[in-house]
Amino acid sequence: MMETYTHIIPSPVGPLTLRGTATAINVLSFKEGIIPEQGPLPDIFRLCTEELEAYFAGSLRVFTFPMEQTGTAFQQTVWQQLTAIPYAHTISYLTLAKRINNPGSIRAVGTTNGKNNLAIVVPCHRVIGSDGSLTGYGGGIWRKRWLLEHEMKHKYGSNLLF
């Protein structure tokens, strides 16, 4: 079993907790209160932090650092489809279910979205209700709105779509 590291970084949407190994980031969450052990971190944490800083500065749209989360084949399929949603675009849960060729799985898609451990970089915040509403988000609706408006502003020069 590989050693696990934890690091907390500041961000415009509050502290972000990174957890991973020397080869992949496994968790990027908004959970607070975790105090990481002090000591040197693998280079992957520096790369992840740099990419997140570039994302928040508006200059990065696709994350490239190694990331990995465990889940069922269904969950992996849903999470892979999340990464295919373009920057500053949204889709509905129904559209996501159709993209995995399983339109009857809307609830399972929503549940899987909620189990995504890599907030922001596996962009579950880009999935919205069929009526355009900003339905649930593990980090809170205010963060979902902030992330979507941030992307719209940096892609289109406006964040007035919500």
Side-chain angles (χ1 to χ4, degrees), residues 69-70 75 79 110-118:
Q69 58 182 325
T70 57
Q75 289 170 329
W79 295 329
T111 299
T112 298
N113 223 29
K115 291 182 178 180
N116 173 27
N117 286 322
L118 292 165

Side-chain angles (χ1 to χ4, degrees), residues 16-113:
L16 298 176
T17 299
L18 309 177
R19 190 169 303 122
T21 64
T23 59
I25 298 296
N26 308 114
V27 174
L28 194 164
S29 73
F30 303 108
K31 294 178 182 165
E32 298 178 40
I34 301 169
I35 299 173
E37 295 179 21
Q38 298 300 317
L41 293 168
D43 287 342
I44 193 168
F45 283 79
R46 179 190 46 76
L47 178 59
C48 177
T49 300
E50 288 172 358
E51 288 191 6
L52 284 164
E53 288 171 351
Y55 169 83
F56 286 119
S59 61
L60 182 102
R61 296 181 179 182
V62 177
F63 294 92
T64 62
F65 65 87
M67 59 187 87
E68 182 179 289
Q69 58 182 325
T70 57
T72 66
F74 178 83
Q75 289 170 329
Q76 294 293 337
T77 299
V78 171
W79 295 329
Q80 184 60 40
Q81 283 300 311
L82 291 175
T83 64
I85 303 170
Y87 181 88
H89 287 82
T90 58
I91 65 169
S92 69
Y93 291 94
L94 176 59
T95 300
L96 183 55
K98 288 178 179 177
R99 286 188 180 178
I100 63 168
N101 296 316
N102 194 343
S105 67
I106 298 170
R107 284 183 184 228
V109 162
T111 299
T112 298
N113 223 29

Side-chain angles (χ1 to χ4, degrees), residues 97-158:
K98 288 178 179 177
R99 286 188 180 178
I100 63 168
N101 296 316
N102 194 343
S105 67
I106 298 170
R107 284 183 184 228
V109 162
T111 299
T112 298
N113 223 29
K115 291 182 178 180
N116 173 27
N117 286 322
L118 292 165
I120 304 170
V121 300
V122 175
C124 56
H125 62 277
R126 296 180 188 153
V127 182
I128 61 174
S130 294
D131 63 357
S133 63
L134 299 182
T135 58
Y137 186 62
I141 294 294
W142 76 269
R143 283 189 178 104
K144 184 172 191 165
R145 177 181 307 277
W146 191 97
L147 293 166
L148 291 171
E149 288 178 348
H150 169 75
E151 292 178 4
M152 303 272 179
K153 178 177 73 174
H154 287 284
K155 182 161 186 177
Y156 302 111
S158 171

